[in-house]
Amino acid sequence: MNGLGSIPLASALLLLAPLGTRAAPAQEAAPEPRAQVLLSELSQASPEEASRIAAELISLGEPAARAALEGIAQAGLVERRARSLVAARAGGAASVDAARVALTDPDLEVRANLVALLARPDLGAELAGARVDALEALALADLEPELRSAAVEGLARIDAPESSAALERLLRALAPAERALAAAALSAQPRARGKVLDLVQRAFAARGPADPSGARPLPEDSLVELIARGYGPALAESAGGGDAPLDLAPLVQGSRHPSPQIRGAARLAIEGFVGRLRYLGELERADRALAALARAGLDPLGLLARRAALALQTGNGEKALELARELAARTRAQDEIDGRRRAASAALLEAAALFALERPDESQAALDRAAALLDGLERERMDLRSERLAGEHALALEAHATVELYRILCALELGGEPQDAALLERARAAHELALRAQLARVGGRFPPPASESLDQLFANPLGPSALLFAGPREGALAPERSAKLEEGLGTVLATVAPLELPGFPRAEPDTARLRDPIEDPQRFNLLRRIQSAQIESVQERIAELRSGTARGVEPERALSELTLWSAVLNDMQRSRQRDPESDFVSLKRLRSPSDAALGLALTLREEGRSAAAREIALRVRADLDRLDARLRSTPVELLAARADELVGSSWMDEAKPEEAERVLLASLERLEAIERDLEERQAAQGVALLRGQRSSVLVALAVNSNVKLRRPERALEYFERAYELRRDDFMRVLLACYRARAGRADDARAVLREVPPSPVNYYNLACTDALLGDADTALDYLRLDFTTNHKSPAALERQKTWARSDPDLDSLREDARFRRLVEP
């Protein structure tokens, strides 16, 4: 930071990030004379000098922090900020009392630093009651909303019963914004799981959200947060949670509550409950709970479909088929729109289950039923009735396109080839349906979607990407079968929509209408209509802005928005008036490249098939490089950079670090050049996205230099450049790791005390603790990584192979516990 006199509040609040539960190392007593000399210098220091002095005081540890708090109230502003920062960074339990007294300081930044000290989890249970009391009082009484929120967040980081009790009290006592924050904080506390269950269940024990214990009822906003964020995971993690009627009452009653917020929270709680049980592998309990909710009358058909999808995603095709057929039987006689939509979903689920069970002929019969139902829905022309029903119409069209995807898979399974004319016609039909869905979504919407891609189709929850190709631990299909079919499907689709699916091979159809949407009269006409609908939507917005009737626009912003959309409209209209080639480019911009091929490549790499992953990533790169320069955009460049990064990572996997570095450096140069161009055009959002990707490439270079090239100095250089671009918790753990590797143990520990342990950081925390000599902690984090973060046995084996050669873990090599963890 440049100067303590101008530190923004956000910087001070950064100190409040969850710090984990590791103990701080014992500090040697600070040289008292040196601390006093530095503190005396602070009184006359400029902000820049104060920053330097504070850094040295922090290095002197707890005694310097105590000295910094003595007489802080009599100091000037710059000095008080510096002293409070020293206390936040170096203080311990012995500084708590003085920090509590100093919380009356008039300066927001000073109080924020003191809150950071009081909220430090590495203090453990020391003075927990006093720290909680101070933070609770601040949450209730401070005049600044930022500080009230910071105090609530600080309470969440103190792992003690007193903290949970204080958060519970605040659920009723605070203003709406802060009490919702308190509810979210309580939901996130592991030790508060039982409290969350009790609070929510008591709220629904009577007819509505009233507390029969006599306590004042929870405000609705607090209850919404507890249900939405905490109840589902807490119920999943309690022994037998969900088996008792009391457990499910909040989900049932909440789903029927007159408040739309509580109804929405109950839906989120159901998803959180099922998702957590799925992750824990307790699929039978999840199925029992969903069945019980259905028996209670809570959308029985929707829950039946959810059960079928869950069974399919986790490899139980027989059960999925049974449930899908039950759903089909229960929807067969329904004639209204919703009933036909559910019947089509049942047919799709049945088709997917039969396909997973290697019965493609029977699957095609179910697909015929789904197509007939969806044809009927499309003839209803819901898009002409209202904006909401236009969305329903788009979903029906995408479901019909999904039918075509399954038909392609069935044909491939039965021996068809991607170049077969019948398969290409089905792919063309699926693409036409996707375009029709895009047109339905554009109508009446503002701002109109700039472009779409086939990713919108792949995201269908009943499609093959969701049900067959993307199982979290087990899959509906075996990995080899899944990869082969996914590539075959991608090849067929890429042939008829080449710009949208870079990375997949392409067949050579006989007719131009199959090769290029612009050469296909039906698809060309749809692209024209999408473009016209976008122009009409912008014209309507301009008219509203001119008349002063535009919703959600403050008068002082109307002129600037009018200028912006007028320029957009001019660009749209000019593109239609140019030569045909430019006009075609403007139509092609309506469809963006998909990252589906890279998704497949990442899966292959996780399964240990690095060469196959690299081949796909190289094809993605080559396809993007062939694009017309007028079609290149920031998203395209980001996709190209991601492909480069995957290529480099695959070379690392195969112990070719020099090749990995060459590819990654070339990608870095391209990103820097594009970023400079965007800066000149003042495209702030694009610059931010590119910097994030550049940071990712630099981290890959650092890992390659350290683990494969064994050049830690070069690794540190790469990482420091990455850290300048991105400073989130993941990067802070890596910073600690690099400092530990450089022998700066105290600096590394100081960083670790400011970072929350989380799954994304488990492996790097293990490396850092191993470098610091904390073997027990390192092994705990390594075990957590192995059991938490790897979706398949092959992905886990790949991570174990990496760990066996990672130099950061060298100190654990002779430990029998490590050898057992990483053995194949």
Side-chain angles (χ1 to χ4, degrees):
M1 79 187 50
N2 294 326
L4 289 167
S6 58
I7 301 173
L9 176 63
S11 298
L13 294 182
L14 186 61
L15 296 168
L16 296 179
L19 306 178
T21 56
R22 61 184 73 242
Q27 293 277 2
E28 296 181 5
E32 189 69 21
R34 181 57 182 161
Q36 293 301 333
V37 168
L38 291 169
L39 287 168
S40 66
E41 292 176 0
L42 267 179
S43 62
Q44 303 298 323
S46 67
E48 291 75 15
E49 291 169 337
S51 180
R52 176 189 58 77
I53 294 169
E56 186 172 350
L57 283 165
I58 290 168
S59 71
L60 298 178
E62 166 78 17
R66 291 201 309 271
L69 288 173
E70 292 175 6
I72 187 173
Q74 288 75 47
L77 177 60
V78 171
E79 184 178 354
R80 296 203 315 279
R81 288 179 171 177
R83 285 173 176 259
S84 65
L85 184 62
V86 173
R89 291 293 180 90
S95 303
V96 165
D97 285 341
R100 292 172 64 204
V101 172
L103 277 174
T104 57
D105 194 283
D107 183 61
L108 178 65
E109 189 175 308
V110 171
R111 299 199 304 282
N113 283 334
L114 297 173
V115 166
L117 168 59
L118 295 173
R120 286 255 297 271
D122 61 302
L123 298 181
E126 290 187 81
L127 299 175
R131 292 155 56 209
V132 165
D133 287 347
L135 291 173
E136 184 178 6
L138 196 70
L140 288 166
D142 198 278
L143 297 178
E144 296 291 342
E146 296 98 327
L147 253 295
R148 295 197 298 271
S149 297
V152 171
E153 292 172 351
L155 285 168
R157 296 182 180 95
I158 299 177
D159 187 23
E162 295 93 333
S163 173
S164 299
L167 287 169
E168 182 181 357
R169 289 191 294 271
L170 293 174
L171 296 180
R172 296 177 173 88
L174 291 173
E178 284 92 25
R179 68 186 179 221
L181 185 61
L186 189 66
S187 298
Q189 278 195 324
R191 72 162 55 243
R193 295 288 197 230
K195 188 178 290 294
V196 170
L197 291 176
D198 182 59
L199 283 167
V200 173
Q201 289 172 3
R202 279 195 283 122
F204 284 94
R207 292 183 179 178
D211 192 333
S213 69
R216 188 154 54 93
L218 284 174
E220 183 177 300
D221 44 22
S222 293
L223 184 58
V224 165
E225 289 292 329
L226 289 175
I227 299 170
R229 292 176 181 266
Y231 192 74
L235 192 62
E237 291 173 9
S238 65
D243 286 336
L246 180 64
D247 295 341
L248 300 181
L251 305 178
V252 175
Q253 294 180 34
S255 297
R256 296 170 176 159
H257 197 274
S259 163
Q261 287 75 25
I262 289 183
R263 292 199 302 272
R267 287 193 294 271
L268 289 173
I270 293 171
E271 287 304 310
F273 174 58
V274 173
R276 186 62 179 158
L277 284 177
R278 180 178 167 187
Y279 177 79
L280 295 171
E282 295 194 49
L283 304 176
E284 290 186 8
R285 180 149 65 106
D287 187 69
R288 285 198 308 272
L290 290 171
L293 290 170
R295 287 194 298 273
L298 194 66
D299 187 15
L301 297 180
L303 289 168
L304 193 57
R306 183 75 177 83
R307 292 172 64 201
L310 180 66
L312 190 56
Q313 288 165 334
T314 51
N316 193 340
E318 291 290 355
K319 181 164 188 173
L321 180 59
E322 175 189 339
L323 293 168
R325 284 178 170 169
E326 181 182 347
L327 180 62
R330 294 173 65 176
T331 57
R332 191 167 292 132
Q334 297 188 12
D335 191 48
E336 71 279 5
I337 287 176
D338 185 61
R340 283 181 282 162
R341 179 177 59 80
R342 290 180 185 272
S345 296
L348 272 172
L349 284 164
E350 183 178 348
L354 287 164
F355 185 85
L357 293 169
E358 301 185 36
R359 294 155 64 179
D361 286 328
E362 296 175 69
S363 180
Q364 292 187 84
L367 292 170
D368 289 342
R369 293 200 308 275
L373 288 161
L374 292 165
D375 275 335
L377 286 174
E378 291 160 30
R379 285 194 294 271
E380 296 280 347
R381 289 310 306 266
M382 293 179 282
D383 55 318
L384 302 180
R385 302 186 196 176
S386 70
E387 185 176 338
R388 182 187 68 80
L389 287 175
E392 291 292 326
H393 185 68
L395 291 175
L397 290 165
E398 285 172 349
H400 202 159
T402 301
V403 169
E404 297 302 325
L405 300 191
Y406 278 115
R407 283 174 164 163
I408 293 169
L409 289 176
C410 288
L412 291 170
E413 186 86 335
L414 291 168
E417 296 293 336
Q419 64 268 23
D420 291 351
L423 269 69
L424 295 176
E425 287 291 349
R426 293 209 177 279
R428 195 212 69 81
H431 190 246
E432 180 180 336
L433 286 161
L435 290 173
R436 288 169 58 193
Q438 183 179 357
L439 178 61
R441 270 191 291 271
V442 171
R445 281 186 59 186
F446 187 85
S451 65
E452 285 190 12
S453 75
L454 284 170
D455 288 332
Q456 185 76 29
L457 180 57
F458 296 147
N460 191 305
L462 297 179
S465 295
L467 296 181
L468 301 181
F469 301 150
R473 290 183 182 274
E474 314 87 15
L477 308 182
E480 292 281 347
R481 182 182 176 211
S482 175
K484 179 180 178 181
L485 287 167
E486 192 171 355
E487 178 152 345
L489 178 62
T491 298
V492 177
L493 289 168
T495 300
V496 301
L499 291 180
E500 292 184 53
L501 278 170
F504 287 105
R506 291 168 201 157
E508 289 297 331
D510 294 332
T511 59
R513 64 181 282 276
L514 290 175
R515 280 196 302 270
D516 186 352
I518 300 297
E519 299 291 335
D520 181 346
Q522 287 83 9
R523 289 189 285 168
F524 178 77
N525 179 54
L526 282 167
L527 288 168
R528 275 283 193 213
R529 291 170 63 192
I530 292 168
Q531 185 185 57
S532 296
Q534 287 184 338
I535 291 173
E536 289 170 11
S537 182
V538 173
Q539 286 173 330
E540 289 174 10
R541 184 63 165 185
I542 290 172
E544 290 173 351
L545 288 166
R546 284 176 174 159
S547 65
T549 60
R551 290 176 294 175
V553 179
E554 298 174 359
E556 58 270 21
R557 291 185 53 198
L559 181 60
S560 61
E561 189 167 330
L562 177 62
T563 303
L564 168 66
W565 288 111
S566 296
V568 170
L569 179 63
N570 288 336
D571 183 63
M572 287 177 164
Q573 292 174 329
R574 278 199 307 271
S575 69
R576 299 188 68 172
Q577 296 166 359
R578 294 173 187 160
D579 60 275
E581 184 183 351
S582 295
D583 192 14
F584 293 162
V585 168
S586 72
L587 292 176
K588 291 174 181 177
R589 283 184 188 148
L590 298 172
R591 305 294 293 179
S592 301
S594 163
D595 66 354
L598 275 191
L600 173 59
L602 287 167
T603 299
L604 291 173
R605 184 177 174 234
E606 283 187 355
E607 297 293 330
R609 299 170 61 187
S610 292
R614 182 171 60 253
E615 180 182 349
I616 293 173
L618 286 169
R619 286 202 304 260
V620 171
R621 196 60 169 98
D623 287 346
L624 295 177
D625 284 345
R626 282 193 290 268
L627 283 179
D628 186 302
R630 292 166 294 182
L631 292 173
R632 299 192 70 88
S633 61
T634 300
V636 168
E637 299 299 346
L638 286 169
L639 187 61
R642 287 172 54 203
D644 288 338
E645 186 178 349
L646 200 152
V647 170
S649 298
S650 72
W651 285 124
M652 272 193 270
D653 295 341
E654 297 182 15
K656 295 184 178 179
E658 293 83 4
E659 188 65 18
E661 187 169 59
R662 182 190 65 77
V663 172
L664 293 169
L665 284 173
S667 176
L668 191 64
E669 289 177 9
R670 280 192 292 267
L671 286 170
E672 288 170 343
I674 298 162
E675 187 178 320
R676 286 192 296 271
D677 177 62
L678 287 174
E679 285 176 338
E680 290 174 4
R681 292 190 277 131
Q682 298 182 333
Q685 185 176 6
V687 169
L689 290 169
L690 281 163
R691 284 181 178 169
Q693 182 61 41
R694 189 153 60 91
S695 174
S696 182
V697 173
L698 283 163
V699 168
L701 282 162
V703 171
N704 184 58
S705 294
N706 179 59
V707 177
K708 299 299 183 180
L709 290 171
R710 299 295 178 115
R711 300 185 66 172
E713 299 84 3
R714 184 187 293 184
L716 180 59
E717 176 193 344
Y718 285 136
F719 178 75
E720 286 177 343
R721 290 167 62 188
Y723 190 68
E724 287 301 312
L725 298 168
R726 175 183 161 200
R727 297 194 175 195
D728 56 16
D729 287 336
F730 178 81
M731 295 296 285
R732 292 164 78 192
V733 171
L734 281 177
L735 175 65
C737 192
Y738 280 96
R739 287 182 174 177
R741 194 179 297 131
R744 297 162 59 186
D746 288 345
D747 289 346
R749 292 182 190 278
V751 173
L752 289 179
R753 288 199 298 274
E754 299 177 4
V755 180
S758 65
V760 72
N761 286 325
Y762 285 158
Y763 186 83
N764 290 328
L765 285 167
C767 291
T768 308
D769 282 311
L771 289 164
L772 293 170
D774 299 335
D776 291 345
T777 307
L779 289 166
D780 284 344
Y781 280 127
L782 194 61
R783 186 177 297 106
L784 280 170
D785 177 70
F786 287 171
T787 57
T788 301
N789 289 332
H790 307 289
K791 296 179 179 180
S792 68
L796 175 59
E797 181 54 35
R798 176 176 166 273
Q799 184 73 343
K800 287 184 175 184
T801 300
W802 182 274
R804 287 195 291 269
S805 63
D806 192 335
D808 290 345
L809 301 176
D810 282 347
S811 65
L812 305 176
R813 301 274 174 238
E814 302 306 315
D815 193 311
R817 296 170 296 174
F818 176 78
R819 292 198 296 272
R820 285 194 297 271
L821 271 176
V822 302
E823 66 185 4

